Amino acid sequence: MKYNAVIFDFDGTLCDTGEGVMKSAKYALDAYGYDAPEYTELSCFIGPPLLVTFQEKFGADPTQADELVKKFRERYTNKGLLESELYPGIKELLIALKNEDLKLGIASSKPQDYIEALLDYFNIRSYFDSICGVSFTADCESKANIISRCAKELAVPGNEILMVGDKCYDIGGAKANIINAAGVMWGYGSRIEFTGAGAKYILDKPSDILSVALGYYEQTEDIQGIFNGTIITVHNDTVTLADGETAYREVVDHPGGVAIIGLTDENEVILVRQFRYPYKETILELPAGKLEKGEDPLKAAVREFKEECGAKAEIFEPFGEVYPSPGYCGEIIRLFRAEGLTFGEQSLDDDEFLDVMKVPFNKCVSKIISGEIKDAKTIAGILKLKELKGL
């Protein structure tokens, strides 16, 4: 199904406010002599109302909890608020959702003033049609009620709204309003927590929210391993489609790779010519290499360019990504642009046999058009560079 509105929790969903919240909670507990662990172990304060957490987790009575909240805000207002950062991909997600004409809201147990200050700080306030937080004097409002207020301000029926959050309170509050909910794995919740709370979706990255909202998302239910090799793994997954039906997906996992578009001062592209066994064919392509697990793509690209071509570059910049075969393979190739080139000795692997070629840029384009160059990353990189530099 498609949704016409998305309501977000704030802390742990849009913004990683954890450091400031936890350090301020530690500050308050220490000030009143509570036996508190290190601030990194105080993630229980992220999400639910502070007044509730001080009572439930540390045994404070209502009066003492109120004093603890005041002490928390003493530090948070002056320092902790800006110990925050947007999660990677959030701003891009908001832009994409608004481009699809979806209404966006925030329903959070965080004080409204804090939410608005951070939205302004990160320059994302304009993306939201409704912002619902709590007041400093009434911060124990239930999540269900906050979500209800937000839904009314958006003027969208509950069955057309997706609630997105990182804790069970978000899922429960959505269910109380008969709204479908998604739990996100980049915040402070867990898969077990979301499943127990009844989340309809459990999402691994921000772009998944767009897929759900548009009615495309496929929820993984089971993974059956088929093959585990040196480079790739193959598995057969059971998925639930957007319409609730079951389907099966054969998937190849690959660690990903890098490819370098090296351009000389004479507008020649550095290509390599080598035999590619799966095609039983000798092809022209950009110098490239496989990423090791956890390896920084830029460092890998610099290494591969030097090893395959004996080349170094004064300019070495990210140039986008290519999904070579998204129908069945999860490989991502990171492109890099290299200019200001100097050349030295190659350092090829024992099983690597290739020639380095300097091909005039216009001839590369002609080879793409004629079909002589067939490699996807090479076609994408050269044509992208052509558009960028007007060559």
Side-chain angles (χ1 to χ4, degrees):
M1 66 172 293
K2 294 185 177 182
Y3 296 90
N4 290 319
V6 180
I7 297 176
F8 292 92
D9 173 50
F10 190 80
D11 291 5
T13 303
L14 292 173
C15 188
D16 185 0
T17 58
E19 181 181 349
V21 170
M22 293 187 291
K23 283 183 175 179
S24 298
K26 173 69 171 172
Y27 173 82
L29 291 165
D30 287 348
Y32 282 92
Y34 282 81
D35 184 15
E38 292 299 313
Y39 83 89
T40 53
E41 299 178 41
L42 294 175
S43 61
C44 58
F45 283 94
I46 302 169
L50 295 170
L51 203 61
V52 172
T53 306
F54 280 124
Q55 293 178 73
E56 291 184 350
K57 300 296 184 180
F58 289 90
D61 61 44
T63 301
Q64 187 68 73
D66 187 61
E67 292 301 314
L68 286 163
V69 170
K70 291 177 182 177
K71 182 59 70 170
F72 170 96
R73 289 177 181 153
E74 179 182 295
R75 182 189 186 278
Y76 191 75
T77 300
N78 295 313
K79 187 173 183 180
L81 181 66
L82 298 185
E83 293 172 327
S84 307
E85 59 184 358
L86 290 181
Y87 285 104
I90 287 297
K91 189 163 187 177
E92 294 81 359
L93 168 68
L94 297 176
I95 292 170
L97 290 170
K98 294 308 291 184
N99 285 341
E100 296 292 336
D101 294 324
L102 273 75
K103 290 188 175 182
L104 304 183
I106 291 174
S108 172
S109 297
K110 195 180 194 70
Q112 183 96 9
D113 289 353
Y114 288 155
I115 297 171
E116 293 180 353
L118 285 171
L119 292 177
D120 289 336
Y121 179 71
F122 292 116
N123 196 28
I124 59 172
R125 184 170 182 168
S126 62
Y127 297 113
F128 295 97
D129 303 284
S130 172
I131 302 167
C132 293
V134 299
S135 69
F136 288 120
T137 57
D139 61 355
C140 276
E141 184 180 3
S142 71
K143 195 59 179 274
N145 194 58
I146 300 170
I147 294 171
S148 176
R149 285 198 286 118
C150 190
K152 288 176 182 176
E153 289 189 11
L154 293 174
V156 176
N159 62 352
E160 298 178 12
I161 297 174
L162 175 69
M163 174 67 203
V164 180
D166 75 311
K167 297 296 291 179
C168 60
Y169 310 102
D170 306 310
I171 312 305
K175 289 183 68 177
N177 286 281
I178 318 179
I179 291 173
N180 286 337
V184 301
M185 294 299 296
W186 57 85
Y188 291 86
S190 68
R191 195 171 296 273
I192 292 174
E193 180 178 353
F194 298 142
T195 300
K200 184 174 178 65
Y201 310 98
I202 300 176
L203 309 179
D204 293 310
K205 57 185 185 299
S207 61
D208 290 342
I209 297 169
L210 178 64
S211 298
V212 172
L214 296 179
Y216 299 143
Y217 189 70
E218 299 179 1
Q219 178 88 40
T220 303
E221 305 296 346
D222 183 61
I223 300 175
Q224 182 66 47
I226 297 174
F227 171 77
N228 187 12
T230 304
I231 298 175
I232 65 168
T233 59
V234 182
H235 48 95
N236 188 26
D237 295 2
T238 304
V239 302
T240 299
L241 303 176
D243 62 0
E245 295 297 315
T246 298
Y248 302 93
R249 301 286 186 248
E250 292 181 355
V251 181
V252 176
D253 288 336
H254 186 285
V258 295
I260 303 94
I261 311 154
L263 190 67
T264 70
D265 293 341
E266 292 74 31
N267 282 337
E268 299 165 314
V269 179
I270 307 303
L271 297 179
V272 296
R273 183 168 59 187
Q274 61 186 321
F275 186 77
R276 286 302 196 180
Y277 182 81
Y279 298 100
K280 301 293 195 296
E281 187 175 331
T282 298
I283 67 173
L284 277 173
E285 60 183 294
L286 294 173
K290 178 177 65 69
L291 282 169
E292 301 299 330
K293 186 176 181 180
E295 186 177 17
D296 176 67
L298 176 58
K299 291 181 180 178
V302 171
R303 182 195 69 236
E304 290 294 337
F305 201 39
K306 185 175 186 300
E307 289 180 357
E308 286 197 0
C309 305
K312 295 182 180 181
E314 294 177 2
I315 298 171
F316 218 110
E317 297 179 343
F319 203 54
E321 298 178 345
V322 174
Y323 292 5
S325 190
Y328 69 91
C329 184
E331 181 183 12
I332 300 174
I333 298 176
R334 281 82 174 179
L335 300 176
F336 291 86
R337 178 175 68 93
E339 296 186 35
L341 307 184
T342 56
F343 294 88
E345 293 293 322
Q346 290 173 288
S347 180
L348 299 177
D349 295 334
D350 291 339
D351 62 351
E352 199 170 21
F353 302 92
L354 57 82
D355 290 318
V356 178
M357 306 181 70
K358 298 178 181 179
V359 182
F361 192 90
N362 289 339
K363 186 172 286 190
C364 288
V365 175
S366 297
K367 288 177 181 293
I368 289 171
I369 300 303
S370 70
E372 184 179 346
I373 292 179
K374 304 173 184 177
D375 176 62
K377 66 181 180 293
T378 304
I379 294 171
I382 288 173
L383 294 185
K384 190 171 182 178
L385 188 62
K386 181 179 185 295
E387 186 69 21
L388 178 70
K389 297 181 76 72
L391 295 172

